[in-house]
Amino acid sequence: MDWSFANPLKLSYWFSVTTPPFQRISFIVVLAALVLILAAGVFLRLAARKKRANPPLSRGLTRLSRPLFFLAILGLILVEFRELGAAILSARAWLVLVFIIAALRTAWIVRHILKTYKT
């Protein structure tokens, strides 16, 4: 199936049992995005260690790094399933679901941090 802007509007695009592997450029872009997310998680964890004198900020940065690690690791696993062509596990909907869950959890943590740590 060739890609067009109409494809994402169909449910069969998101829930097909097997999906073709990524094209070279899109594979590099997805891997780069996941590596950047992982690097942001590491950066937040290191920043939390430097801010030990401020416990609410340190806890908040640590809590914020967890969904980034979750997103990066699970995203890399799902990308590998897609490259292997594993049935059902390579569906595009799984990757989108992981990103939505991680975004909601990150927003919830940021809201909690802002409520707890008032400037």
Side-chain angles (χ1 to χ4, degrees), residues 3-119:
W3 196 87
S4 72
F5 286 107
N7 285 342
L9 300 176
K10 300 175 187 172
L11 284 178
S12 63
Y13 176 80
W14 295 105
F15 295 102
S16 62
V17 176
T18 58
T19 55
F22 284 110
Q23 299 294 327
R24 181 177 170 90
I25 296 296
S26 60
F27 182 68
I28 291 171
V29 168
V30 168
L31 281 183
L34 291 172
V35 167
L36 284 175
I37 291 169
L38 184 64
V42 170
F43 175 75
L44 288 175
R45 188 63 61 104
L46 293 175
R49 287 193 178 172
K50 287 186 178 182
K51 301 291 184 182
R52 284 187 186 166
N54 190 347
L57 182 60
S58 177
R59 276 193 315 270
L61 291 174
T62 301
R63 288 184 69 194
L64 195 56
S65 69
R66 289 179 189 149
L68 295 176
F69 287 132
F70 168 77
L71 177 64
I73 292 169
L74 196 57
L76 288 170
I77 291 169
L78 290 174
V79 165
E80 182 63 26
F81 282 143
R82 175 136 182 214
E83 289 299 307
L84 292 174
I88 298 177
L89 294 173
S90 66
R92 294 172 182 99
W94 289 115
L95 195 57
V96 171
L97 181 66
V98 167
F99 276 101
I100 290 171
I101 289 171
L104 290 175
R105 179 160 165 86
T106 303
W108 181 72
I109 290 171
V110 167
R111 185 177 145 258
H112 185 315
I113 291 170
L114 292 176
K115 191 167 60 172
T116 303
Y117 186 74
K118 296 181 181 180
T119 57

